Amino acid sequence: MGKDEILELKDKIDFQNLPKHIAIIMDGNGRWAKDRSLPRTSGHQEGMKRVVDIVEATNNLGVEYLSLYAFSTENWKRPKKEIDALMKILVFYIRNELDKIHKNNIKIKIMGDISLLPKVPRKEVEKAIEKTKNNSKMVLNIGLNYGSRDEIIRSIKNILEDVNLGKIDKDDINVELFSKYLYTKDIPDPDLLIRPSGELRLSNFMLYQIAYTELWFSDIYWPDFKEEYLYKAILDYQKRNRRFGGI
Ligand code: FPP
């Protein structure tokens, strides 16, 4: 797609009806690489470039929250070489992009238990959170060692602990209170979930939060997910009639 066509697409977006929170399951890096007879890690490297592009594009549009699934609780099952490469790419991303992210007033948040990450990526992530903590234009919420079932079980344990400590009463537990125990406690539920790569599943991503989220799937592999696909997803979203269970 040419530059003019992309701008035309962008111009069609109704800025009064922008999704406040977009969540993305970045998938297809491995298949993108396989199609080119490249190692899977090349797919992840190219995928990282799309992270740079899409963070910039969402921030420019005025989207307030962007959640990205970068590493799941199940991704530890991958070969050590691939895990090491993913961690290196994460470190490279932060080292290269943090100043720009900060300048663009983006706040980095993490969903997932980062205490289990190797030391170097953990330190980089902690530095990024600390440096950007007072930023206010967009929240970049990265899922790292994140799994929705793990998050829900962790929340239940924390709620039980607070009930036992007398901080809350069993009868106080409702949808709103439960949300406050999730990693996303300060973040509204996603309005739009994007999953490229042709897979039609949720893969343990934000299951509690996406109860009323609009889903958008595409066959494009994540390393090919240029900004025009983001605009297409938003335009489709703007045609949806969201009822939240009402009529
Ligand atoms: C899924 O593709 C993708 C991942 C498990 C990793 C996503 C990571 C990045 C895009 C780069 C680093 C991220 C940040 C935030 C800097 P897959 O490997 O499952 O692809 P396949 O299904 O085709 O094998």
Side-chain angles (χ1 to χ4, degrees):
M1 199 178 247
K3 262 203 173 121
D4 289 348
E5 278 171 293
I6 296 173
L7 279 178
E8 233 170 78
L9 211 55
K10 194 178 170 184
D11 275 347
K12 287 189 190 147
I13 292 174
D14 172 6
F15 284 85
Q16 304 305 313
N17 182 23
L18 209 56
K20 199 172 176 167
H21 183 178
I22 297 179
I24 308 180
I25 301 175
M26 306 183 289
D27 194 19
N29 295 352
R31 280 163 286 164
W32 181 91
K34 193 168 176 237
D35 281 357
R36 288 160 180 77
S37 308
L38 293 167
R40 293 178 56 82
T41 49
S42 300
H44 296 315
Q45 273 162 0
E46 195 62 25
M48 188 209 72
K49 294 185 195 159
R50 297 299 87 71
V51 172
V52 175
D53 298 342
I54 296 302
V55 166
E56 192 175 326
T58 42
N59 191 44
N60 286 343
L61 286 176
V63 171
E64 289 175 55
Y65 301 87
L66 174 67
S67 292
L68 299 178
Y69 206 2
F71 194 88
S72 77
T73 43
E74 287 72 37
N75 285 153
W76 297 109
K77 291 183 210 152
R78 296 191 177 201
K80 185 176 179 302
K81 228 172 96 183
E82 185 169 340
I83 296 173
D84 289 349
L86 278 167
M87 293 297 155
K88 268 196 185 146
I89 291 170
L90 175 69
V91 170
F92 180 89
Y93 174 75
I94 297 174
R95 287 189 181 155
N96 271 274
E97 292 296 311
L98 188 56
D99 282 347
K100 192 169 92 194
I101 287 173
H102 187 49
K103 215 166 64 210
N104 288 337
N105 201 8
I106 297 171
K107 184 199 282 203
I108 293 187
K109 281 190 163 247
I110 299 293
M111 327 186 259
D113 183 1
I114 56 164
S115 71
L116 297 173
L117 293 191
K119 192 170 163 198
V120 175
R122 182 164 43 83
K123 292 280 171 211
E124 288 297 324
V125 165
E126 284 166 354
K127 203 166 77 189
I129 296 171
E130 179 59 28
K131 186 175 169 109
T132 62
K133 67 177 182 204
N134 295 319
N135 291 347
S136 58
K137 184 158 188 284
M138 183 177 87
V139 170
L140 171 58
N141 177 43
I142 307 176
L144 276 178
N145 188 23
Y146 174 78
S148 205
R149 290 178 167 180
D150 182 70
E151 175 185 38
I152 290 168
I153 286 166
R154 180 182 165 275
S155 307
I156 292 170
K157 285 182 180 166
N158 288 335
I159 289 173
L160 279 178
E161 199 176 301
D162 283 354
V163 169
N164 287 339
L165 288 170
K167 284 191 191 167
I168 52 168
D169 191 82
K170 180 173 141 265
D171 294 331
D172 296 334
I173 303 171
N174 56 25
V175 169
E176 215 159 274
L177 181 126
F178 199 85
S179 301
K180 296 284 169 229
Y181 282 79
L182 297 169
Y183 288 119
T184 48
K185 60 178 183 297
D186 305 317
I187 299 179
D189 290 341
D191 300 294
L192 171 63
L193 173 82
I194 295 174
R195 179 167 196 160
S197 97
E199 307 292 3
L200 304 178
R201 55 176 171 259
L202 299 171
S203 301
N204 203 12
F205 189 57
M206 303 185 88
L207 299 180
Y208 191 86
Q209 295 90 335
I210 60 168
Y212 286 101
T213 299
E214 296 297 325
L215 310 180
W216 193 85
F217 297 99
S218 146
D219 287 344
I220 295 291
Y221 293 147
W222 176 251
D224 286 327
F225 199 90
K226 303 269 168 69
E227 61 180 313
E228 60 249 44
Y229 295 103
L230 173 74
Y231 304 149
K232 280 182 186 170
I234 292 174
L235 288 167
D236 280 351
Y237 163 85
Q238 293 185 330
K239 289 185 203 135
R240 307 264 179 104
N241 176 11
R242 302 186 75 191
R243 291 188 294 279
F244 301 94
I247 52 170

